[in-house]
Amino acid sequence: MENRDSFLQETEALRQKVHHLYIYGAGLYARNLHGILKEHGISVDGFLVSHEGKETALYGLPVIHADEVIHDRIGIIIGTNSLNRIGILENLERNHFDMSYVVQGTDYIEKSGMRYDGSPTMQITTRIGCSVNCQYCPQSLLLGKYFAQDKNRSAVMTLDVFERCLKRLPQNTRISFCGMAEPFLSPDCGEMIKLASQSGHIVELYTTLVGADRKTIEEIVEIPFGYVTLHVADQFGYAHIPLTDEYYDLVEFVINYRRPDGTPFVNMCNAQAEPDERVARICRGKYEILTALHDRAGNLENEKLLSRNTPTGRISCSLCGEKLNHNNLLPDGTVLLCDFDYGMQHVLGNLLEQSYDEILTGTEWKRVCKGMSGDLKQDILCRKCSCANSVF
């Protein structure tokens, strides 16, 4: 309550000082903020975005490219997640924007555990052992843990395993092809994506395009993805993406692709570091390439990575509140707490052997819940995670 009141008071004070007030963002954070402000009688004049997307209006208000108004006397409420916020703030500072006219809506949403609408998400790790092997990705930790007791454990998810697991998930589950490896390193990934969409699920994709070819991508570009993030090659080779002509041609195709209704295939781009120069030229004027990265809940150590001090007391997750239903599916049906659990500290169950409800009410799930409720005797990954927020 105190956190909410502080946010509303700061926003109302800014509203009184500026000609126009905008929410920076048009996703779930921004929409939640709009509803909260409307409920408390605080009006905004529209939404700002860093690149043009499918929406030109939201809740009857204009969606505007930030560059069009950034030099006017406006107030801004940041309405994106922590990672995207970093790039936005850097852009505002480069443009000499008065930062006293900025309210951090991100902090309010994340501390309130309001990131998602409560529906579950299952991230799909289609392969154990990612050839991209990014510098800021603890692949060796995952490989060691996954094969520790069984060297013949399934390394690549098959279409049959995916289909069997999919049938056990609630219909409102988001199916997110990202996980702990490049999804297209499974030869069945394209078919999995089509199957998930045909089954009525919202589908998301996070890809470097490694393992994909033009034919595979052409078969999925018309799917109504909830979100697509393209992870591009960087100048230092931190992400081991083969810089072939085929790769650059595929990047150019997906960056420029527009569906018949004008909506883009790609929603966001990021990289491990400053993007490869040729990729940067392809994206210039179309997408800002974000380079802020997580420390994977303390599984990596580097001063460049987004990390946090261990919070005490009750905590929630900025991705799923206290429901802990933003999980990760491995090739053999194993379900982990999330895609930051490279050390497999929290194995919740197996979808080939258990129902979804059994997994999300099981012993390990309950133990993590107990730890998030304030029991510091429970050693849980969440207390090392940049997605963890203290609950006030």
Side-chain angles (χ1 to χ4, degrees), residues 210-320:
V210 173
D213 56 23
R214 178 70 172 261
K215 180 177 180 295
T216 300
I217 298 301
E218 286 180 343
E219 290 178 352
I220 65 171
V221 287
E222 295 299 323
I223 288 175
F225 286 92
Y227 212 80
V228 175
T229 298
L230 178 65
H231 186 99
V232 301
D234 59 86
Q235 293 182 15
F236 307 102
Y238 291 163
H240 297 93
I241 299 173
L243 300 178
T244 63
D245 287 338
E246 289 76 13
Y247 168 71
Y248 289 118
D249 289 344
L250 196 52
V251 169
E252 188 163 12
F253 173 72
V254 298
I255 287 297
N256 292 309
Y257 190 84
R258 294 293 183 273
R259 301 184 180 92
D261 64 358
T263 59
F265 174 64
V266 172
N267 300 102
M268 187 182 82
C269 296
N270 62 16
Q272 288 268 306
E274 289 78 9
D276 170 81
E277 291 183 3
R278 187 168 170 183
V279 169
R281 288 198 299 271
I282 294 171
C283 295
R284 188 166 295 132
K286 303 181 181 75
Y287 293 90
E288 178 184 4
I289 300 174
L290 304 176
T291 57
L293 302 168
H294 283 282
D295 67 355
R296 312 284 179 156
N299 283 318
L300 289 169
E301 293 184 5
N302 190 289
E303 60 184 11
K304 296 180 180 180
L305 301 177
L306 182 63
S307 60
R308 68 166 304 134
N309 295 322
T310 303
T312 58
R314 183 181 166 195
I315 59 174
S316 70
C317 175
S318 64
L319 297 179
C320 57

Side-chain angles (χ1 to χ4, degrees), residues 111-129:
K111 289 178 179 178
S112 301
M114 298 170 59
R115 168 63 178 90
Y116 279 112
D117 59 5
S119 60
T121 295
M122 187 62 74
Q123 295 180 316
I124 312 299
T125 296
T126 66
R127 184 185 184 96
I128 300 297

Side-chain angles (χ1 to χ4, degrees), residues 311-377:
T312 58
R314 183 181 166 195
I315 59 174
S316 70
C317 175
S318 64
L319 297 179
C320 57
E322 298 175 35
K323 293 189 174 184
L324 303 184
N325 60 356
H326 194 278
N327 311 120
N328 191 277
L329 180 67
L330 301 185
D332 66 347
T334 297
V335 177
L336 299 181
L337 179 65
C338 70
D339 68 330
F340 282 178
D341 192 6
Y342 281 78
M344 298 184 66
Q345 182 175 341
H346 303 302
V347 176
L348 302 184
N350 190 299
L351 265 180
L352 295 179
E353 304 167 358
Q354 300 167 273
S355 71
Y356 181 78
D357 286 342
E358 287 173 335
I359 289 173
L360 258 68
T361 56
T363 301
E364 184 62 17
W365 184 86
K366 289 179 179 177
R367 189 178 76 81
V368 178
C369 287
K370 189 175 181 180
M372 294 186 73
S373 296
D375 184 353
L376 298 182
K377 295 179 182 179

Side-chain angles (χ1 to χ4, degrees), residues 17-35:
K17 292 194 298 183
V18 297
H19 297 307
H20 298 287
L21 180 64
Y22 296 97
I23 296 174
Y24 204 128
L28 290 172
Y29 276 40
R31 295 169 196 233
N32 279 327
L33 288 172
H34 174 267

Side-chain angles (χ1 to χ4, degrees), residues 66-293:
D67 289 348
E68 295 181 19
V69 295
I70 201 171
H71 298 293
D72 298 338
R73 187 182 176 188
I74 64 170
I76 292 176
I77 306 163
I78 303 295
T80 68
N81 63 38
S82 295
L83 287 177
N84 290 344
R85 171 174 62 178
I86 294 172
I88 289 170
L89 293 177
E90 289 176 348
N91 183 53
L92 292 176
E93 290 174 349
R94 282 195 301 269
N95 283 275
H96 307 293
F97 189 84
D98 187 343
M99 303 306 285
S100 68
Y101 284 20
V102 175
V103 172
Q104 299 293 344
T106 299
D107 292 339
Y108 170 60
I109 289 293
E110 295 191 342
K111 289 178 179 178
S112 301
M114 298 170 59
R115 168 63 178 90
Y116 279 112
D117 59 5
S119 60
T121 295
M122 187 62 74
Q123 295 180 316
I124 312 299
T125 296
T126 66
R127 184 185 184 96
I128 300 297
C130 181
S131 64
V132 181
N133 195 24
C134 296
Q135 175 166 321
Y136 299 127
C137 182
Q139 283 293 308
S140 59
L141 175 62
L142 176 62
L143 283 165
K145 292 292 184 179
Y146 189 79
F147 294 110
Q149 297 181 351
D150 182 2
K151 294 182 179 180
N152 297 315
R153 194 172 180 179
S154 299
V156 181
M157 184 177 290
T158 65
L159 185 60
D160 175 66
V161 166
F162 176 75
E163 185 172 12
R164 288 162 62 193
C165 291
L166 185 67
K167 289 179 179 179
R168 290 180 175 241
L169 294 174
Q171 187 59 46
N172 67 333
T173 304
R174 292 173 179 266
I175 307 299
S176 185
F177 289 87
C178 54
M180 297 166 163
E182 163 56 53
F184 285 110
L185 290 177
S186 166
D188 291 328
C189 180
E191 294 303 315
M192 293 179 195
I193 290 173
K194 287 186 279 187
L195 178 61
S197 180
Q198 291 164 1
S199 300
H201 294 273
I202 294 176
V203 181
E204 300 171 340
L205 174 64
Y206 184 106
T207 181
T208 63
L209 299 176
V210 173
D213 56 23
R214 178 70 172 261
K215 180 177 180 295
T216 300
I217 298 301
E218 286 180 343
E219 290 178 352
I220 65 171
V221 287
E222 295 299 323
I223 288 175
F225 286 92
Y227 212 80
V228 175
T229 298
L230 178 65
H231 186 99
V232 301
D234 59 86
Q235 293 182 15
F236 307 102
Y238 291 163
H240 297 93
I241 299 173
L243 300 178
T244 63
D245 287 338
E246 289 76 13
Y247 168 71
Y248 289 118
D249 289 344
L250 196 52
V251 169
E252 188 163 12
F253 173 72
V254 298
I255 287 297
N256 292 309
Y257 190 84
R258 294 293 183 273
R259 301 184 180 92
D261 64 358
T263 59
F265 174 64
V266 172
N267 300 102
M268 187 182 82
C269 296
N270 62 16
Q272 288 268 306
E274 289 78 9
D276 170 81
E277 291 183 3
R278 187 168 170 183
V279 169
R281 288 198 299 271
I282 294 171
C283 295
R284 188 166 295 132
K286 303 181 181 75
Y287 293 90
E288 178 184 4
I289 300 174
L290 304 176
T291 57
L293 302 168

